[in-house]
């Protein structure tokens, strides 16, 4: 799995877009980028994942640079309930491969 | 669907005791995982399974054992509990899909070894 680098913490105002960066400069061509989040001490929750193309779902958008060395998770309209630790994971290109979680970014959304 | 169910939610063990953390999923997923999370840290993989009868070690397997006799169940056994095993344990499951697909996590089992 490729190593990822995320800022330890970020702040965002409620209603504004939250842009969470992730560096994964050693990612290989067939490795995916995954984003999960963990609210308080609950189990992690899947957000989104992608390989090369940008992806969007009901929760967020994932923007991957053309060289795939970095990506950004975008929460378009952050709410207080989005306050959580966000994990960016690069690797695991086939079913059954384990995901390796780092320390993530603590996002604090305030009113 | 209940998803991924873990029991017990909380447990206190004495040093040297043994116990089993139970994990059951009702989504017919082939892949199951056990992670541990120490305070303020990310998750570390203990063991995982790609199907009934098949298990493999993760990053931190020492002091643990697993079995996978059915698709639904993936129990984690702690032998001779030590204070270093005080942690929150998460079980997860996934189905085949793009990459590893989406992992579904349980609510966690909080273990304290005194």
């Amino acid at each position: 799995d490729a190593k990822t680098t995320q800022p330890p913490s970020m702040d965002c105002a409620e209603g504004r877009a939250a842009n969470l960066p992730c560096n994964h400069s050693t990612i290989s061509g067939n490795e995916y980028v995954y984003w999960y989040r963990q609210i308080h001490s609950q189990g992690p929750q899947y957000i989104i994942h992608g390989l090369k193309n940008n992806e969007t779902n009901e929760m967020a958008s994932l923007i991957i640079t053309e060289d795939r060395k970095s990506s950004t998770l975008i929460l378009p309209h952050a709410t207080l309930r989005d306050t959580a630790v966000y994990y960016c994971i690069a690797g695991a290109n086939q079913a059954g491969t384990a995901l390796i979680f780092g320390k993530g970014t603590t996002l604090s959304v305030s009113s | 669907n209940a998803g991924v169910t873990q029991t017990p939610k909380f447990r206190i063990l004495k040093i040297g005791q043994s116990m089993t953390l139970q994990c059951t999923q009702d989504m017919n997923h082939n892949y199951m995982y056990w992670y541990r999370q120490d305070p303020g840290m990310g998750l570390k993989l203990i063991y995982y399974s790609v199907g009934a009868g098949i298990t493999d070690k993760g990053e931190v397997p020492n002091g643990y054992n697993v079995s996978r006799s059915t698709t639904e169940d993936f129990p984690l056994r702690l032998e001779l509990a030590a204070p270093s095993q005080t942690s929150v344990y998460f079980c997860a499951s996934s189905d085949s899909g793009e990459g590893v697909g989406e992992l579904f996590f349980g609510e966690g089992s909080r273990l304290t070894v005194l």
Side-chain angles (χ1 to χ4, degrees), chain A residues 30-109:
Chain A
N30 61 352
E31 290 182 318
Y32 285 78
V33 178
Y34 302 83
W35 284 85
Y36 281 75
R37 72 180 183 183
Q38 188 173 26
I39 297 173
H40 195 45
S41 54
Q42 299 174 16
Q45 177 189 24
Y46 167 85
I47 301 173
I48 199 167
H49 76 284
L51 183 61
K52 296 180 181 178
N53 299 322
N54 298 335
E55 302 287 345
T56 296
N57 63 20
E58 65 277 5
M59 289 183 67
S61 294
L62 172 61
I63 308 299
I64 303 174
T65 58
E66 192 169 343
D67 63 9
R68 303 208 325 121
K69 292 185 177 182
S70 65
S71 60
T72 301
L73 179 74
I74 300 173
L75 307 178
H77 305 287
T79 71
L80 298 178
R81 288 180 293 181
D82 291 322
T83 293
V85 178
Y86 287 77
Y87 298 98
C88 169
I89 305 159
N93 60 342
Q94 60 184 1
T97 308
L99 294 179
I100 306 299
F101 288 73
K103 292 187 178 181
T105 296
T106 298
L107 175 69
S108 298
V109 181

Side-chain angles (χ1 to χ4, degrees), chain B residues 95-114:
Chain B
D95 202 349
S96 60
E98 193 180 50
V100 298
E102 175 182 349
L103 263 64
F104 293 84
F105 282 84
E107 295 183 352
S109 296
R110 285 151 181 80
L111 176 67
T112 301
V113 181
L114 301 174

Side-chain angles (χ1 to χ4, degrees), chain B residues 80-93:
Chain B
L80 299 175
S84 61
Q85 293 177 305
T86 293
S87 192
V88 181
Y89 293 83
F90 290 102
C91 179
S93 72

Side-chain angles (χ1 to χ4, degrees), chain B residues 39-78:
Chain B
M41 305 295 287
L43 283 76
K44 290 190 179 298
L45 181 68
I46 306 172
Y47 271 97
Y48 65 102
S49 169
V50 300
I54 306 170
T55 62
D56 208 348
K57 296 178 180 179
E59 302 171 88
V60 290
N62 291 344
Y64 306 94
N65 281 300
V66 293
S67 60
R68 184 94 183 272
S69 57
T70 67
T71 299
E72 296 78 19
D73 301 309
F74 191 40
L76 177 71
R77 177 84 177 160
L78 280 73

